[in-house]
Amino acid sequence: MSPFHIIKSARLTEKGGLQSEKYNQYTLVADRRANKIQIRHAVEELFKVKVVDVKTMNVRGKKRRQRTHQAGRSAHWKKAVVKLKKGDQIVLT
């Protein structure tokens, strides 16, 4: 898989902003089939930074329903929290 298929997007949240400032960690949405090593290489190649640690978790989709009681669910996804070397950063806009 190419790095563009492995890293889907960045998660811009209030908690993620505090993590990036205080701990130099960034939260990304990754492909569900990718492992930690593939995520590490993809981040290093795409953003030209040095990755120190990668933590991943599979997030289950939430159950959703429409007004007419049609049951559904949002998609499952993989969250990756990437810690960078001191001095490196990813500019998210």
Side-chain angles (χ1 to χ4, degrees), residues 13-71:
T13 60
E14 189 173 340
K15 181 179 179 179
L18 295 173
Q19 275 185 323
S20 63
E21 293 172 4
K22 192 171 182 181
Y23 302 111
N24 206 20
Q25 294 178 343
Y26 296 87
T27 305
L28 306 169
V29 177
D31 189 274
R32 291 187 62 211
R33 298 167 292 178
N35 60 30
K36 291 182 181 187
I37 297 167
Q38 292 171 329
I39 293 170
R40 175 190 303 260
H41 290 306
V43 170
E44 287 177 349
E45 186 176 333
L46 289 175
F47 299 108
K48 306 294 188 248
V49 294
K50 178 67 177 158
V51 176
V52 176
D53 189 27
V54 177
K55 297 177 182 176
T56 61
M57 64 194 78
N58 289 312
V59 180
R60 283 190 278 161
K62 294 181 178 180
K63 290 184 179 179
R64 304 283 187 191
R65 67 184 183 94
Q66 300 282 323
R67 178 177 294 216
T68 59
H69 304 293
Q70 296 170 346

Side-chain angles (χ1 to χ4, degrees), residues 3-12 26-31 39 43 46-47 77-82 90 92:
F4 292 103
H5 289 121
I6 294 173
I7 304 299
K8 304 266 186 208
S9 65
R11 299 279 297 183
L12 299 175
Y26 296 87
T27 305
L28 306 169
V29 177
D31 189 274
I39 293 170
V43 170
L46 289 175
F47 299 108
W77 56 284
K78 181 176 264 191
K79 180 193 282 190
V81 179
V82 179
I90 298 174
L92 301 173

